């Protein structure tokens, strides 16, 4: 029995694709706006006039959007199924409950991390090309910039996935899909703002946020898996 294929068949992939496309278009529009805003008003500060600031701001917005996206996916695939009518069917599978949960988390991780990485990298890439065409930004080290963009994209996906797992665990505790979404909204009021507030240390701030989020998600996942193992229908 291939649990991954079974769980993937339950997902309405078009909904997630449209959501990712909508997020990307919104992020790209905001990124171009920030780019020209910095060019027109250099007195606003480093957040809009330097690549570090734009990278920090764009990555923070990416994390905010995909954290909610991950929380919604987790709420649908974990909270809704384990706390709804489908729980009876899930518990009849001839495999350990933890293994099913692992597959669900793997799917959420693949979707969120991949989408966040592609979106963040594409947005910053288009912004860089636009800046070069219009001569808006001063040149910076291209090698460092590429590494920073790739690392920021990857870590933004990891952070978003971690927040999604934390939110899904809270939603399972409360037996509420809405609780999972609200939890993600509360968290994104803190982490993205922390990253955007330190444009001079973008990579370090994202890395610190990633480590903290991963540790918190790991603890919540252990609590969630133990709770699901003991669930009775």
């Amino acid at each position: 029995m291939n649990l991954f294929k079974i769980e993937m068949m339950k997902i309405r992939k078009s909904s997630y694709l449209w959501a990712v496309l909508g997020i990307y278009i919104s992020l790209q529009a905001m990124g171009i706006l920030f780019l020209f805003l910095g060019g027109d008003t250099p007195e606003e500060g480093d957040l809009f006039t330097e690549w570090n600031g734009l990278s920090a701001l764009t990555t923070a917005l990416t994390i905010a959007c995909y954290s909610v996206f991950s929380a919604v996916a987790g709420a649908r695939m974990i909270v809704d199924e384990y706390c709804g009518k489908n729980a009876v069917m899930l518990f009849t599978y001839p495999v350990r409950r933890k293994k099913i949960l692992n597959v669900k988390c793997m799917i959420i991780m693949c979707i969120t991390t991949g989408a966040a990485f592609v979106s963040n990298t594409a947005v910053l890439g288009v912004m860089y090309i636009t800046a070069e065409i219009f001569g808006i930004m001063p040149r910076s080290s291209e090698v460092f910039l590429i590494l920073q963009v790739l690392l920021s994209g990857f870590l933004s996906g990891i952070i978003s996935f971690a927040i999604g797992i934390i939110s899904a665990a809270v939603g399972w505790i409360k037996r509420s899909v809405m609780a999972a979404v609200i939890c993600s909204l509360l968290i994104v009021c803190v982490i993205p703002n922390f990253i955007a507030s330190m444009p001079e240390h973008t990579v370090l701030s994202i890395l610190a946020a990633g480590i903290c989020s991963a540790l918190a998600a790991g603890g919540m996942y252990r609590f969630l898996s133990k709770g699901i193992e003991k669930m009775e229908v």
Side-chain angles (χ1 to χ4, degrees):
M1 180 185 295
N2 194 323
L3 286 175
F4 191 87
K5 288 184 179 180
I6 292 175
E7 291 299 323
M8 285 297 293
M9 289 173 62
K10 296 180 182 178
I11 299 174
R12 185 180 295 177
K13 301 176 184 63
S14 60
S15 300
Y16 290 96
L17 289 173
W18 280 113
V20 170
L21 180 61
I23 291 173
Y24 167 71
I25 292 173
S26 301
L27 289 173
Q28 190 68 78
M30 292 295 291
I32 297 298
L33 176 62
F34 294 151
L35 191 64
F36 283 97
L37 180 63
D40 292 337
T41 56
E43 71 277 2
E44 290 295 326
D46 292 342
L47 197 61
F48 295 114
T49 59
E50 297 291 339
W51 277 114
N52 281 338
L54 286 172
S55 176
L57 186 57
T58 303
T59 302
L61 288 174
T62 300
I63 292 172
C65 292
Y66 281 102
S67 293
V68 177
F69 172 88
S70 180
V72 172
R76 293 288 302 273
M77 296 176 61
I78 297 175
V79 180
D80 200 31
E81 292 206 15
Y82 281 107
C83 299
K85 296 179 181 179
N86 290 337
V88 177
M89 182 180 70
L90 285 174
F91 294 157
T92 59
Y93 286 0
V95 292
R96 287 189 60 187
R97 297 178 182 180
K98 186 176 181 179
K99 187 174 182 179
I100 300 174
L101 179 63
N102 287 342
V103 171
K104 290 179 178 293
C105 291
M106 187 183 301
I107 292 173
I108 298 171
M109 181 181 69
C110 291
I111 295 174
T112 304
T113 305
F117 174 80
V118 172
S119 292
N120 195 66
T121 304
V123 168
L124 289 172
V126 172
M127 288 171 64
Y128 182 80
I129 293 172
T130 304
E132 287 292 302
I133 293 173
F134 290 94
I136 300 174
M137 290 286 169
R139 287 183 176 272
S140 57
S141 172
E142 292 186 1
V143 175
F144 175 76
L145 183 62
I146 291 173
L147 292 175
Q148 178 177 319
V149 168
L150 294 176
L151 184 60
S152 297
F154 175 72
L155 289 176
S156 67
I158 296 298
I159 295 171
S160 299
F161 165 67
I163 294 174
I165 292 299
I166 295 170
S167 302
V170 172
W172 178 81
I173 294 171
K174 296 294 184 179
R175 300 296 192 270
S176 169
V177 170
M178 187 58 65
V181 178
I182 293 174
C183 178
S184 68
L185 292 173
L186 293 176
I187 296 175
V188 300
C189 289
V190 178
I191 294 180
N193 282 321
F194 167 74
I195 294 172
S197 66
M198 301 178 65
E200 67 278 6
H201 302 295
T202 304
V203 175
L204 291 178
S205 63
I206 297 173
L207 185 59
I211 293 172
C212 293
S213 299
L215 291 174
M220 293 300 287
Y221 169 78
R222 290 186 63 184
F223 176 82
L224 178 63
S225 61
K226 288 181 179 180
I228 289 176
E229 286 281 1
K230 297 177 182 179
M231 277 186 69
E232 296 181 2
V233 182

